[in-house]
């Protein structure tokens, strides 16, 4: 395999694209095919649908001029970390670019990528693409839309992240204990930097549209608290700062949940005054959380009722997932054997 593409002088690269067969994959492939200037040597589409889910063919024809460069693998539902590992371990190019199946690269993406790769020195292990999240222009964004827009500030997100293939081999790739698309990128970035490589942000830009979601999506997102517990175990409690990750509201959720449990316990034991105080604290904490989510939003009836109901449920659900993560990962050690 050549080290550089003719005409660009930039190192060759392969795209690894894990998917669970969402319809947005077709748009992702179309956008990749429309990007001109420095095309990938190959596109490895990793089908991570469980066995029964693979009855529907993936829309690979959407890749157009890149169709002949597509190679597919199957990982059977083991999660995006495992899917990306399966992909990068089969490529022969100096660089591997990870894309998510719900992004759309811009038309100048491959030309900008060539500039990013040419600018990399020998110590550069990875180069992040810039993410842009299109939001509605005719109204305020919903809580879900604002959460997705946070990806624009995310560090080392594998929605568009180029890694030197040798760097991935050096650190062993992604940690497959991260079964969701959450924190597996931060874990990899920390290990890459600790191995002596540098990471930087590039100039290429990729769109990350807000995917459709139901009103309970924020509850399901709380599963990520278990992954945060794993990150604490693997990287220490200061990993948030080193990974440039927002801290989140878990400490407040713990206090609100504790107030609710205290109010219930005091009520059951006849301590009405204590129950009233704890109940008031729970009410204040829950109201603050709901208002913080409602205020920046469109304030429609659907959005307000969704924020009210989920603001009651999120704190205990978040704490439950955190405790589950603490218990499940209490003996976890970092990849390579370090605790």
């Amino acid at each position: 395999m050549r080290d550089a593409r003719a005409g660009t002088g930039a190192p060759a690269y392969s795209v690894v694209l894990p998917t669970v067969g969402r319809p947005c994959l077709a748009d992702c492939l179309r956008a990749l095919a429309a990007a001109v200037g420095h095309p990938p040597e190959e596109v490895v589409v990793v089908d991570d649908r469980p066995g029964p889910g693979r009855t529907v063919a993936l829309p690979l024809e959407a890749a157009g001029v890149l169709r002949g460069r597509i190679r597919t693998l199957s990982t059977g539902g083991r999660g995006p970390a495992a899917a990306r590992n399966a992909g990068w371990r089969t490529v022969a190019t100096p660089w591997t670019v990870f894309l998510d199946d719900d992004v759309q690269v811009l038309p100048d993406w491959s030309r900008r990528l060539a500039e990013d790769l040419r600018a990399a020195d020998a110590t550069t292990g990875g180069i992040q693409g810039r993410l842009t999240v299109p939001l509605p222009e005719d109204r305020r964004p919903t809580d879900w839309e604002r959460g997705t827009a946070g990806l624009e500030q995310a560090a080392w997100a594998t929605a568009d992240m180029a890694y030197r293939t040798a760097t991935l081999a050096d650190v062993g790739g992604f940690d497959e204990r991260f079964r969701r698309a959450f924190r597996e990128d931060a874990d990899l970035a920390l290990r890459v930097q600790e191995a002596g490589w540098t990471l930087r942000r590039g100039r290429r830009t990729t769109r990350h549209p807000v995917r459709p979601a139901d009103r309970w999506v924020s509850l399901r997102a709380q599963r990520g608290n278990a992954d945060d517990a794993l990150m604490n175990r693997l990287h220490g409690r200061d990993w948030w700062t080193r990974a440039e990750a927002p801290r989140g509201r878990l400490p407040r959720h713990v206090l609100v949940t504790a107030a609710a449990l205290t109010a219930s316990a005091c009520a059951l034991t006849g301590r009405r005054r204590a129950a009233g105080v704890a109940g008031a604290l729970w009410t204040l904490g829950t109201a603050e959380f709901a208002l913080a989510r409602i205020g920046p939003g469109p304030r429609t009836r659907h959005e307000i009722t969704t924020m009210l109901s989920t603001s009651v449920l999120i704190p205990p659900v978040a704490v439950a997932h955190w405790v589950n993560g603490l218990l499940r990962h209490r003996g976890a050690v970092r990849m390579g054997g370090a605790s």
Side-chain angles (χ1 to χ4, degrees):
M1 187 69 69
R2 291 172 295 171
D3 286 342
R5 298 285 298 173
T8 68
Y13 69 98
S14 300
V15 170
V16 171
L17 205 167
T19 184
V20 289
R22 297 183 293 188
C24 53
L25 173 63
D27 294 329
C28 178
L29 292 173
R30 287 191 195 97
L32 187 60
V36 296
H38 185 49
E41 289 286 322
E42 63 176 348
V43 180
V44 184
V45 177
V46 187
D47 186 349
D48 195 45
R49 294 175 293 179
R54 294 200 298 271
T55 56
V56 178
L58 297 175
L60 302 182
E61 295 303 323
V65 296
L66 294 179
R67 179 64 182 90
R69 302 188 184 198
I70 288 185
R71 181 163 51 84
T72 59
L73 300 172
S74 295
T75 44
R78 292 163 49 205
R84 293 190 190 102
N85 279 343
W88 75 260
R89 286 171 179 157
T90 67
V91 306
T93 49
W95 287 85
T96 299
V97 179
F98 297 106
L99 294 176
D100 285 349
D101 68 355
D102 56 353
V103 304
Q104 300 162 11
V105 302
L106 297 190
D108 66 348
W109 180 85
S110 61
R111 179 174 60 83
R112 294 287 188 181
L113 173 63
E115 295 172 359
D116 290 343
L117 298 183
R118 283 197 298 265
D121 61 28
T123 67
T124 302
I127 310 171
Q128 179 181 358
R130 301 171 186 265
L131 297 177
T132 178
V133 178
L135 295 175
E137 297 181 355
D138 59 343
R139 60 167 173 80
R140 295 179 177 185
T142 64
D143 180 70
W144 172 242
E145 290 166 342
R146 295 194 307 275
T148 303
L151 290 171
E152 293 183 343
Q153 308 302 321
W156 325 128
T158 41
D160 179 358
M161 185 73 192
Y163 272 107
R164 200 181 293 273
T165 307
T167 299
L168 295 169
D170 184 30
V171 301
F174 292 89
D175 189 331
E176 298 182 14
R177 288 172 291 188
F178 293 91
R179 297 296 298 270
R180 290 172 292 276
F182 190 68
R183 300 307 189 205
E184 84 290 356
D185 47 7
D187 168 77
L188 175 61
L190 288 177
R191 288 187 287 109
V192 164
Q193 291 171 311
E194 289 164 3
W197 298 93
T198 60
L199 300 176
R200 66 178 184 83
R201 289 168 172 82
R203 299 181 60 192
R204 65 192 187 278
T205 301
T206 294
R207 294 177 72 250
H208 192 303
V210 179
R211 69 176 186 270
D214 60 60
R215 70 191 311 167
W216 306 113
V217 65
S218 58
L219 287 181
R220 294 192 296 275
Q222 301 312 309
R223 297 170 184 167
N225 285 285
D227 299 306
D228 284 348
L230 176 56
M231 287 291 290
N232 271 14
R233 175 62 188 167
L234 299 179
H235 297 285
R237 294 185 179 275
D238 65 340
W239 71 266
W240 304 90
T241 301
R242 290 183 287 119
E244 302 178 39
R247 183 64 179 87
R249 294 183 65 107
L250 182 66
R252 297 189 190 186
H253 292 336
V254 170
L255 293 175
V256 170
T257 302
L261 293 174
T262 300
S264 299
C266 290
L268 289 173
T269 56
R271 300 166 61 192
R272 289 187 292 179
R273 177 172 295 182
V277 171
L281 291 174
W282 173 83
T283 301
L284 288 172
T286 301
E288 182 275 331
F289 183 35
L291 291 173
R293 301 171 72 206
I294 292 171
R299 304 179 193 176
T300 61
R301 180 177 179 179
H302 180 272
E303 178 75 359
I304 290 173
T305 57
T306 298
M307 294 302 98
L308 290 174
S309 56
T310 55
S311 293
V312 171
L313 297 172
I314 283 175
V317 171
V319 172
H321 282 299
W322 172 264
V323 172
N324 179 53
L326 291 176
L327 295 174
R328 183 165 17 118
H329 302 303
R330 61 186 179 277
V333 296
R334 196 181 310 186
M335 286 181 63
S339 61

